Amino acid sequence: MRDSEHNLEQSRTQIPDMDHIATHGLYNPENEHDACGVGVVANIDGSRNHKIIDQALEVLINLGHRGACGCDPRTGDGAGILLQMPDTFMRKSAAKLGIQLPPAGHYGVGMTFLPRDESLRERCESAILQASEKHGLKILGWRDVPIDADAVGPMANAVMPRIRQFFVEAPADVIEDDLERRLYVTRKTAERIGREQASESELKDIADYFYICSLSSRTVVYKGLIIADQMKDFYLDLCDEDMVTAFGMVHSRYSTNTLGAWRLAHPYRMLAHNGEINTVRGNRNWMTAREKRLSSDYFGDDISDITPVCEADEPSDTASLDNGFEFLRMGGRPLEHVAAMMLPAAWY
């Protein structure tokens, strides 16, 4: 049998019949591979519950061997979870502050790391306000995320940012992907304003402490310089039964190219990924070179507000990958298309 005929015959034998699909879905154990440091738990029917968070955090704890710690055994390289926007929980939390949220899908939540210096923190929050107003969004208020600082090690505690969430309302006709793009441009604008308004002596604090983990109407990220088994003790929100989701993506980090930091923990806004991208400098340079020619019907004149595409403050290789991934996704491409562009098949 010729090679092409053999490959075709082999591929046919790997396709499950319809009866198998009906009872077992598309899962095939032959395609099972280890994903070191990364885990996902999901309800394939899309139903949301709190158990998914508990299970995802259990996966994260079981990945503890993959993470790292230093001379302070209670400070790791970072861990986190990305989950669906828990509308009931956010609505309850906002109401306690006198904030009435619009219907689900008409507001976004920003999960934000901020400087501990009060003056600098206020200016970073002002940068977010300026960016929101520029792009037609209304800041409804801020919420201090409840944490137990004693749950993390002394080294992580010493460099811990102020952790706050803000609620932002969109115009009634800005929904779904249009809202996500508006929030994306707002976040990128706020990052740039924060750097531009900082003095030279403040730039390091801006780089280290001002970071918007997520700003979305669909997802929220809880992460930090945390060891896997510290997540639920540190972020008290994750214990609330109203915190529900249909999926949880978790990651435990072992830093190699960059040292651990609160902002460099995974997941990022779109993905969690183990790094070691050997061409990272070249990829960043190519992205920068292309920025002068960017155009998009989706962004229009706002296109200049999303540069630099790759964060300027010494991001990790995965952070830059996430920046590029998010940019292409917000530009209108399906996730599968973006993944194929950003993670091409290896040459062999």
Side-chain angles (χ1 to χ4, degrees), residues 79-82 213 221-223 249-251 265-269 271-272:
I81 181 171
L82 181 150
C213 304
V221 172
Y222 285 80
K223 71 175 188 175
M249 179 168 70
V250 296
H251 187 279
H266 302 206
Y268 288 100
R269 292 113 184 177
L271 54 81

Side-chain angles (χ1 to χ4, degrees), residues 15-54:
I15 300 175
D17 59 35
M18 294 308 296
D19 289 338
H20 178 87
I21 292 176
T23 55
H24 296 88
L26 293 174
Y27 173 74
N28 185 344
E30 294 180 2
N31 296 324
E32 188 69 47
H33 301 285
D34 289 335
C36 187
V38 183
V40 177
V41 178
N43 279 330
I44 60 175
D45 62 2
S47 61
R48 305 186 186 201
N49 57 57
H50 182 73
K51 185 179 179 181
I52 289 290
I53 294 176
D54 290 337

Side-chain angles (χ1 to χ4, degrees), residues 105-118:
H106 291 268
Y107 70 91
V109 176
M111 183 72 170
T112 313
F113 293 161
L114 294 160
R116 294 180 295 178
D117 178 82
E118 287 298 305

Side-chain angles (χ1 to χ4, degrees), residues 268-287:
Y268 288 100
R269 292 113 184 177
M270 301 294 290
L271 54 81
H273 163 267
N274 293 328
E276 307 293 357
I277 302 173
N278 296 325
T279 57
V280 60
R281 184 182 296 275
N283 290 334
R284 288 174 185 153
N285 288 344
W286 275 114
M287 184 63 77

Side-chain angles (χ1 to χ4, degrees), residues 22-200:
T23 55
H24 296 88
L26 293 174
Y27 173 74
N28 185 344
E30 294 180 2
N31 296 324
E32 188 69 47
H33 301 285
D34 289 335
C36 187
V38 183
V40 177
V41 178
N43 279 330
I44 60 175
D45 62 2
S47 61
R48 305 186 186 201
N49 57 57
H50 182 73
K51 185 179 179 181
I52 289 290
I53 294 176
D54 290 337
Q55 291 175 328
L57 294 178
E58 182 180 357
V59 169
L60 185 61
I61 291 172
N62 291 338
L63 293 171
H65 66 283
R66 195 271 175 190
C69 63
C71 58
D72 168 11
R74 297 301 292 161
T75 295
D77 280 340
I81 181 171
L82 181 150
L83 46 89
Q84 282 179 304
M85 183 62 65
D87 177 66
T88 300
F89 171 81
M90 290 299 178
R91 197 168 297 281
K92 177 180 72 174
S93 300
K96 292 178 180 178
L97 302 171
I99 300 169
Q100 183 174 356
L101 294 181
H106 291 268
Y107 70 91
V109 176
M111 183 72 170
T112 313
F113 293 161
L114 294 160
R116 294 180 295 178
D117 178 82
E118 287 298 305
S119 175
L120 192 55
R121 176 184 64 80
E122 289 174 358
R123 277 188 283 146
C124 290
E125 292 179 0
S126 176
I128 293 173
L129 175 61
Q130 293 175 55
S132 299
E133 291 177 342
K134 178 177 181 180
H135 297 293
L137 301 175
K138 179 183 178 182
I139 298 288
L140 298 176
W142 287 81
R143 171 182 183 254
D144 288 316
V145 176
I147 60 169
D148 180 0
D150 293 333
V152 299
M155 294 181 67
N157 206 326
V159 294
M160 184 190 305
R162 182 81 175 269
I163 305 174
R164 306 192 79 197
Q165 290 173 343
F166 64 93
F167 304 97
V168 58
E169 182 179 11
D173 60 339
V174 179
I175 58 174
E176 298 181 347
D177 283 354
D178 289 338
L179 175 54
E180 289 300 294
R181 291 189 187 95
R182 187 81 64 100
L183 294 169
Y184 168 64
V185 176
T186 298
R187 193 197 83 233
K188 298 290 287 186
T189 303
E191 291 169 354
R192 191 188 69 250
I193 292 174
R195 289 192 301 270
E196 290 175 349
Q197 295 184 349
S199 66
E200 187 173 348

Side-chain angles (χ1 to χ4, degrees), residues 194-214:
R195 289 192 301 270
E196 290 175 349
Q197 295 184 349
S199 66
E200 187 173 348
S201 62
E202 293 171 334
L203 283 175
K204 187 177 187 308
D205 278 344
I206 290 291
D208 290 344
Y209 290 102
F210 180 36
Y211 181 84
I212 302 175
C213 304
S214 59

